Amino acid sequence: MAIRFLDFELDDQLLELRGPAGAIAMEPQVFKLLRFLIDHRDRVVSKDELVSEIWDGRFVTDAAITSRINLLRKAVGDSGKVQSVIRTVPKTGYRFVADVDLPEKRRPDTGLPAVSAFEQPDLTASSVVVLPFRDLSPPEENDFLAEGLTEDISVALSRSSDITVIANRSARAVEDVAPLISDVGRKLQVKYAVRGAVQRAGNRVRVSASLIDTEIGKHIWADRFDGAKDEIFDIQDRVTQSIAAVLPTRIQGTVLEQEHIRAEVSLSSREAYLRAIWNLRQSGDVVRAIDDLGSLLVQDERYALAHAQLAVLLGFSIFVFGRDEETTRVRAIAHARQALALESSDERVLAKAALAFLNDGDFKRALHYSEKALTLNPHSVEAIHFRGCVLYGTGAHEGALDCHRTAMRLDPLFPGHYLESVIETNFLLGRYEEALSIHDSWDRPHPHMSVTMAACNAMAGRMEEAHRFAEDFRKSRPEGFRLADYFSALMRYLAREEDQAHWREGFMRSGLWPEAGKSGNS
């Protein structure tokens, strides 16, 4: 797309500025500065905004900013005296003042689906995505502070009853498919985006953050926060409160007045937890994550969230590895109980504990804690998803589907995280064709889903496909996987006898039931 002003043409596809004599040599940072000022030419852009956007929140002097402005002015035939293109507003910032000629229909080719004039997204005034904070620290200082800030600010904002926050998984991925902030808004259906960066030098930390209106690309607020590394939780609260203060009036109160109840967790423990979760996300190695969290809890036994996460992973490992060992179940429940004893006012802890109780067949506690988690934070994607799992296990299948659909709306770029639950719920509702169609659209289903699809195809009368999935499972299952253990864990997960019988019939029709009825691996 070409943007014209005076005798110049800016081509943001070729990243080139052309004048009467042809292409003008320009550093990438100066080009980015020009584009940013043009995009926000309706107002004065503050120096803090420039630091956040052009320098990624790194510490820079006013002289460095002035130097880049002067280079830009020189490129477009302007000067600090004339200021016919870029005007300096003393003690405030800069504004692009030349007339700009834009194409009638300018839309960058981002690979995103077009949004027609009749299908505008419903960008409500209370929808926010917290984009991943950039870590600008030297490699040796990288300690997951940025990861922690992103997650904790998302959680804190979502605890307001009037604000909808997009899940972290989608927030982490969206910039790969939506390079411009307006694309982020359309892709995730949000009105506002939070951007920020963290820079650590020794024991000092600088956090920069900004709040952007995605519809018009305008920075509503930007600021920097400095402090010692061990003050990072206080800095985090200040960032969250500042963001809440500039959001629409109707959603200010609950965040600003919210009492922050934080268990006594050391910063080193928080970093170790984030590292374990990051490694799990990157590798999918459940065994390593269990070991990492176990090691963390040896060092800090009072970390409630780590206890709760470990309880979930231990229960999940039974289905992944087909080893339903009593020691694993007992250990999972012990960690869930310890998590609740340490922290009963964090919806993440409550939701994870609810899932652990569901895996153990304790439906009363699963229902209680999943409901309490949603009461504390009705916008928590994790609480909504795990509530759906509990409703599936206790026979409220339509309610379960509603929960999973809501979770997918809040985490739109990662539907696969919820598809297993949606498929299994449709199976129990007898909607086999719908379950099969969903599986076909899933690009990377979990290996153990072959068992589910064998049963589903069998119940739909597709015996050839059922036998194929059964054979795929036999060939690809992890070493030591015992189908009898998997089936035992599945039956414990279901409260109603008719649901257990439904799965049993699917196993029998697919030819997996004789193996599921045996003890040991065949």
Side-chain angles (χ1 to χ4, degrees):
M1 178 191 71
I3 300 172
R4 296 178 177 84
F5 61 95
L6 301 179
D7 295 326
F8 300 93
E9 183 177 85
L10 182 149
D11 190 325
D12 61 358
Q13 297 292 323
L14 298 176
L15 300 180
E16 184 178 75
L17 178 68
R18 294 184 289 272
I24 298 171
M26 181 178 287
E27 296 178 15
Q29 190 179 58
V30 178
F31 184 92
K32 185 177 181 181
L33 174 61
L34 172 60
R35 179 60 199 268
F36 187 76
L37 289 173
I38 290 175
D39 284 347
H40 303 280
R41 63 192 179 279
D42 61 327
R43 62 185 178 85
V44 177
V45 175
S46 70
K47 291 182 178 180
D48 282 341
E49 287 182 62
L50 294 180
V51 169
S52 174
E53 286 294 324
I54 310 304
W55 282 270
D56 291 331
R58 297 189 298 273
F59 174 76
V60 294
T61 63
D62 285 350
I65 298 174
T66 301
S67 172
R68 289 297 180 271
I69 291 289
N70 287 339
L71 286 173
L72 177 53
R73 280 175 169 153
K74 183 178 179 180
V76 297
D78 196 13
S79 69
K81 184 177 181 178
V82 177
Q83 297 190 19
S84 61
V85 179
I86 300 167
R87 180 175 299 160
T88 299
V89 180
K91 298 183 180 180
T92 304
Y94 304 93
R95 185 178 178 188
F96 190 93
V97 294
D99 290 336
V100 175
D101 180 21
L102 294 175
E104 281 298 314
K105 296 180 179 179
R106 69 183 190 100
R107 177 182 296 278
D109 183 12
T110 63
L112 299 176
V115 180
S116 75
F118 303 101
E119 297 176 319
Q120 292 297 323
D122 180 19
L123 300 181
T124 66
S126 58
S127 54
V128 179
V129 58
V130 182
L131 298 170
F133 274 54
R134 302 185 191 93
D135 194 336
L136 306 178
S137 308
E140 64 273 13
E141 301 281 5
N142 190 332
D143 49 16
F144 290 87
L145 283 180
E147 185 88 5
L149 272 172
T150 304
E151 178 180 339
D152 289 345
I153 291 173
S154 294
V155 170
L157 288 172
S158 73
R159 284 172 177 162
S160 166
S161 60
D162 295 315
I163 187 169
T164 301
V165 181
I166 295 296
N168 281 336
R169 272 182 300 270
S170 289
R172 281 191 295 268
V174 70
E175 289 184 299
D176 292 336
V177 296
L180 300 179
I181 200 67
S182 57
D183 298 328
V184 170
R186 284 192 294 270
K187 188 72 172 175
L188 297 180
Q189 300 288 283
V190 290
K191 170 70 172 171
Y192 298 104
V194 176
R195 266 184 174 159
V198 182
Q199 187 170 15
R200 178 183 169 192
N203 192 45
R204 301 296 295 174
V205 173
R206 164 165 287 180
V207 176
S208 61
S210 59
L211 181 69
I212 308 165
D213 185 319
T214 65
E215 288 184 290
I216 59 176
K218 180 178 180 179
H219 280 63
I220 297 171
W221 163 86
D223 207 344
R224 288 178 290 183
F225 305 83
D226 297 311
K229 182 184 175 186
D230 57 9
E231 297 172 340
I232 190 65
F233 292 135
D234 293 330
I235 293 174
Q236 170 186 302
D237 288 345
R238 287 161 56 198
V239 173
T240 305
Q241 291 169 4
S242 297
I243 293 169
V246 294
L247 284 169
T249 304
R250 67 188 182 89
I251 64 174
Q252 288 180 20
T254 51
V255 176
L256 288 171
E257 298 170 5
Q258 178 179 318
E259 180 181 0
H260 292 272
I261 303 173
R262 186 180 284 116
E264 295 182 3
V265 176
S266 70
L267 189 55
S268 61
S269 296
R270 176 65 172 153
E271 292 165 3
Y273 176 81
L274 291 168
R275 184 174 290 105
I277 299 303
W278 187 87
N279 287 333
L280 175 63
R281 189 184 305 131
Q282 296 299 312
S283 67
D285 191 338
V286 176
V287 174
R288 177 182 176 181
I290 289 173
D291 290 342
D292 287 346
L293 291 171
S295 299
L296 164 59
L297 289 170
V298 169
Q299 301 299 320
D300 186 353
E301 62 182 9
R302 295 189 58 77
Y303 197 167
L305 193 57
H307 278 291
Q309 182 65 51
L310 183 52
V312 168
L313 289 177
L314 287 167
F316 182 58
S317 71
I318 294 173
F319 292 98
V320 173
F321 302 113
R323 303 297 293 269
D324 187 16
E325 297 174 352
E326 185 177 2
T327 54
T328 303
R329 300 199 307 272
V330 170
R331 185 183 172 197
I333 293 302
H335 283 293
R337 292 182 183 279
Q338 182 65 11
L340 292 168
L342 291 168
E343 177 59 84
S344 60
S345 59
D346 186 323
E347 72 280 1
R348 295 169 295 178
V349 170
L350 295 171
K352 292 176 194 291
L355 191 63
F357 286 123
L358 177 65
N359 284 327
D360 198 51
D362 189 338
F363 304 110
K364 182 177 180 179
R365 284 187 172 86
L367 285 165
H368 171 73
Y369 288 114
S370 64
E371 182 177 3
K372 187 175 179 182
L374 275 181
T375 300
L376 285 172
N377 187 351
H379 297 142
S380 165
V381 178
E382 187 172 51
I384 293 168
H385 174 46
F386 287 173
R387 176 66 174 178
C389 294
V390 171
L391 293 178
Y392 161 81
T394 53
H397 301 140
E398 294 292 356
L401 285 178
D402 286 342
C403 286
H404 298 316
R405 291 181 187 121
T406 301
M408 285 191 283
R409 284 197 297 271
L410 293 173
D411 195 3
L413 300 190
F414 281 85
H417 191 72
Y418 314 98
L419 291 184
E420 179 175 356
S421 299
V422 174
I423 289 170
E424 291 172 344
T425 306
N426 275 298
F427 173 84
L428 287 183
L429 286 167
R431 299 169 185 167
Y432 309 121
E433 295 298 334
E434 186 168 348
L436 294 171
S437 176
I438 292 170
H439 182 270
D440 289 344
S441 68
W442 191 356
D443 56 347
R444 288 187 297 176
H446 301 304
H448 64 263
M449 283 300 293
S450 292
V451 175
T452 301
M453 299 319 296
C456 196
N457 274 285
M459 295 297 285
R462 300 182 176 186
M463 300 312 301
E464 184 176 344
E465 283 294 292
H467 294 150
R468 182 179 67 81
F469 274 106
E471 187 59 27
D472 287 346
F473 161 72
R474 293 187 179 99
K475 291 178 179 178
S476 63
R477 60 183 168 186
E479 183 179 354
F481 191 107
R482 296 193 293 258
L483 187 54
D485 283 18
Y486 179 94
F487 191 74
S488 173
L490 177 60
M491 295 300 100
R492 191 171 56 249
Y493 197 94
L494 301 170
R496 302 196 313 169
E497 290 185 5
E498 54 264 48
D499 290 341
Q500 295 177 9
H502 199 143
W503 276 109
R504 189 178 297 113
E505 183 177 356
F507 273 71
M508 291 177 67
R509 291 190 186 185
S510 69
L512 288 172
W513 170 248
E515 186 177 348
K518 299 176 183 178
S519 60
N521 199 0
S522 62

